[in-house]
Amino acid sequence: MAKKARQRISYVLELDHSSSGGHRLGVNGLAVDRDNAILYSGGRDGVICAWDLNLDLNTHDPDRVASRGAKPRPTTKFRASTQAHTHWVNDIVLAANNTALVSASSDLTVKAWRPELGDTEPHTIGQHADYVKCVATPKSADWVASGGLDRKIYLWDLNGKGKSLEIDVRGEDVSEKASVYAMSVGRNILASGGPESVVRLWDPKSGKRITKLVGHTDNIRAIMMNEAGDTVMTASSDQTVKVWSVTAGRCVYTLTMHNDSVWSLFSEDPNLSVFYSSDRSGLIVKTDTRGTVEMDEGLSVAVAQEHDGVSKVVACGDYIWTATSSSSINRWTNVETGSEAQLPEAFRHLRASSPVSRSRKSSAASEGPGKNEIPAKSILRISNTAAFPPELTDSSESNLTPGALPRKGSELIVDTIVPDIEPIHHLPEETIEGQNGLVKHKLLNDRRRVLTLDTAGDVLLWDLIRCEVIQRFGKKHLEDVEPEVNTLEAVAPWCSIDTSSGNLTVVLEPFNCFDAEMYADELVLAEPVEFREDQRINLGRWILRYLFAKLIDEEIKRDEVQRLKLNEVVEKRRATATRLKALGSITMSSSDAQGYESSDSPAATLRANGANFPMSPGLVIGIATPAPNLPGVPENTTTSSSPLEKRPSQQLTRSSGDDYFSGGISSADVPVKAAATPAGAEQTTAKEETAKPPVETKDKDKDTAKSPSTPFGKKFRMGMSFGTKKLGRSASTSIEKPTVAEEKPEENKSESSSNHEKEIDDNFRGVIQKIHNDYEKQLLDNPDNTVETKITPALPIDAPVLKLPPGTKVIIQEETSGGSANLYRGTVMSVGVDADIIEEKAPMWLGEVLLTNTIPQKDPVKVSFVLHPWKDSLPSIATTDGNNRLNANRMLRVKKILAYVAERIDPQPEEPEPGALKPEEYLELYCNEQLLPNTMSLATLRAHIWKGGSDVVLCYKANGRKEIPKELPQPTLDDPAVSDPGGQTAIPPIATVT
């Protein structure tokens, strides 16, 4: 079975104060529906917009075209829009007689949108393995072709039949540059091009290659084909437009009216006699070759100049629209280049001898120079071989004669005077305004807040957990605002930020989204929650809990229905048993009678793991020896971190009165001889874990034989579970694969075998199947007991209640060779309605987090440090061999380190006196001679105070509020350090009782 692709969860924060319609980032695609006067646009924000033009596109008005000075009133109105894609829209095309708009995107999908048929959302018709760069369709056809960076061309049926043809562009010539950037389709021929600089022609019916056209020297950016299919026109980054004869298989004209990379071509003419082109410099050119014998004799005019490179140009009627890296779309007045065109006097004489002059002579000669005459500086030299207009050189600058010879290939270009090009239009006729999108971001040190800069220059501060803007700074430099809001923290990476689509997208990967935590006492909540001391909140679990809150509610309802059916059978069995009994009757207890009725309230169903207080694994301080000695530790030796690192967090339970952190301080290179396991915790854990073999229970009983007898050790025994490395391993494996032992009862063997027989899906639904299997097992074991719910989402104590904006988008993606493909897209409000889709598409780890409050097990990251008394003012806590190197979880706070120091140098009675000072009140900790705040974590002080790669050196000193003896107290006879001078006993852990 092939390995399943890694899946990730993304959510998109809603941009507020957004006006209706318009793009947030640059526009890449334009398409015009002439009959309905609708303009469609596709942007880098993944949005497709439809605009009502309110123009007559079927009638030519010479007077309107001639009146260049007058600026008409804006007529374009927003019609509709859809968030079609999660990445850039690279190209759009109208297909199926303008009833469907097909888009190609960098999110790897090809989608069709039919707004006139009532579609609010486009549907996916195909998918590539990499960015999809272009789409094309022949007139009136019911299929489209798409090409992308995966070096494939696909033909998709628009009636829902899927892929009809696949063309591998590489073919026999394996080329790294075979990506498809441009494409054009006719009835019987398909042309494609890209970085390979070669135009390839294909048969769209069979997918076979017809021929290839070689001549460009750089990336091919646009392709057009005439209606007959015998002429192909291409635009390239080599600054040329080439015209190819398909029958001859060669280039027949090379047009050089551009001085920069040519990005776009457009024509409505069946013969391509009139076409538009645009380039990277922003120049928009109209070329008219009607009535000419050779294309070199055509007229090429600089219509307008944009501020940015023009990625797409379209024209219809008397209008031209251009798309750039700006979120706005400009409309320009078209220029008359036909027989009515008014040319300068000098150029009229130059064209007198050409065949085209016969069609223009009567109108051009009769009219003198007028206001609407095309300026001489706006007329471009269509090619290097064209005689009209002539190329200007030093000797012929003032001599505009037909005898001016074209430049030869051997001549230097510096001999040529590059004429100043002055476009006819300097300002657009109308601008369809866009909106402001995010273009830059900075994730702050707490990894919960992000600074963003938008296209208007405004700086915003976002909260990634609450999914909202929390502060606005106006028009400032992002780098200037950052020092004002950043904090001195070091938090593990748990998400990545993406603003490529103009929105703030947060991506959660399964391998690290549960790595970051924050202390609950740092939260500012609208409704106060009583947290345990030093409790930490897992950021990934917190946000996922409320992104999918509606889904959890739906699954709880479905679970109640499922259990209701099962419990009805139980009730019938009970009733039958009652009737069969001759003497007396069995009265159901009140608790049994309400076995499933109490589950009507969602709160009543939240039990098991949700009600537990999970301890953070591995939050211990252990004595650490130098690294070279660590590999020598035997396999069955317990290090200071092993008991809690190997135990799943959901199985570690204790009373709410105990400290949030569990752990012990033990030598890293010697085995632990004893560990305390309280009976209370043992019982609680046993209820929630799957059945364990008696061997494991024996091990636990052995482990409880010894326990530290110091006051700190006695405190540690209260409500905590702590075992050996062997025990930790069996505990972790007992969830998914019960350990098989000789002493295992027969009934457990049968249960285990039935578990293996029942296969579950490797997705979100698999978690639900597991729960249902548990219900069936429960009924087999205890047929007279009603089934209690096993859906146990995180409670507010682990994930404080969040009210996320309803427009927050939720996306489930799958990793592919070319990026990531969307499996599901919805909002926080729609995830409940889409439960069936999510169950099928979402990963299993998400189901475990949401429904059982189980996060993937992972070893905690530790920080090594050394503790010294400040200038020997207090006793040293080094062991008898002088080792004072320790390690602990990176999230351990300074006050916990001080509590450890106080336990060693100033042990307190088991029941401290009322009003006694806490260790952090009379001890201080320093690093690099800087006093450390009591709430600072080891990770923060290592990153921002110590700033080094070696062990952190910390110094403790008294602040004078309490007198501390200068010598360590003498150990008593029952101290493990005395009874075991070799140091083989676990040193009492850091733990306090509130």
Side-chain angles (χ1 to χ4, degrees), residues 22-30 40-49 82-92 103-106 311 323-324 326-327 329 500-502:
H23 295 280
R24 294 191 178 279
L25 293 181
V27 181
N28 286 339
L30 295 174
Y40 293 95
S41 58
R44 299 178 184 180
D45 53 1
V47 173
I48 295 175
C49 292
T82 178
Q83 182 73 51
H85 298 276
T86 56
H87 212 303
W88 286 21
V89 175
N90 294 315
D91 195 13
I92 61 174
S103 55
S105 171
S106 293
S311 55
T324 66
S326 164
S327 60
I329 302 167
S500 62
S501 63

Side-chain angles (χ1 to χ4, degrees), residues 757-774:
E757 289 171 6
K758 288 190 176 180
E759 292 187 359
I760 60 173
D761 298 338
D762 186 14
N763 54 17
F764 192 103
R765 185 172 287 130
V767 179
I768 300 171
Q769 291 170 344
K770 275 187 194 176
I771 292 173
H772 290 175
N773 291 345
D774 288 344

Side-chain angles (χ1 to χ4, degrees), residues 64 70-74 331 333 429-430:
R64 201 206 71 81
K71 186 172 183 179
R73 290 182 302 167
R331 187 184 85 201
T333 305
E429 188 176 74
E430 180 188 7

Side-chain angles (χ1 to χ4, degrees), residues 545 548-564 596-607 764 768 771-772 775 788-795 831-832 835 839 850-852:
R545 168 66 177 84
F548 292 95
K550 297 285 185 185
L551 174 65
I552 295 173
D553 293 343
E554 176 64 23
E555 294 297 348
I556 288 174
K557 290 177 185 176
R558 295 184 179 190
D559 180 72
E560 288 174 356
V561 172
Q562 174 74 10
R563 289 186 295 108
L564 186 62
Y596 63 85
E597 291 172 3
S598 61
S599 65
D600 289 341
S601 168
T605 66
L606 307 181
R607 299 179 184 227
F764 192 103
I768 300 171
I771 292 173
H772 290 175
Y775 291 161
E788 296 290 335
T789 184
K790 288 187 177 293
I791 292 184
T792 55
L795 293 178
V831 290
E839 285 179 9
L850 298 181
L851 302 184
T852 66

Side-chain angles (χ1 to χ4, degrees), residues 778-793:
Q778 184 178 332
L779 286 177
L780 287 174
D781 296 342
N782 302 290
D784 294 331
N785 292 347
T786 54
V787 176
E788 296 290 335
T789 184
K790 288 187 177 293
I791 292 184
T792 55

Side-chain angles (χ1 to χ4, degrees), residues 863-884:
V863 174
S864 298
F865 59 98
V866 179
L867 277 174
H868 293 295
W870 177 274
K871 297 180 180 179
D872 296 326
S873 58
L874 292 175
S876 172
I877 62 169
T879 57
T880 53
D881 60 357
N883 179 27
N884 59 353

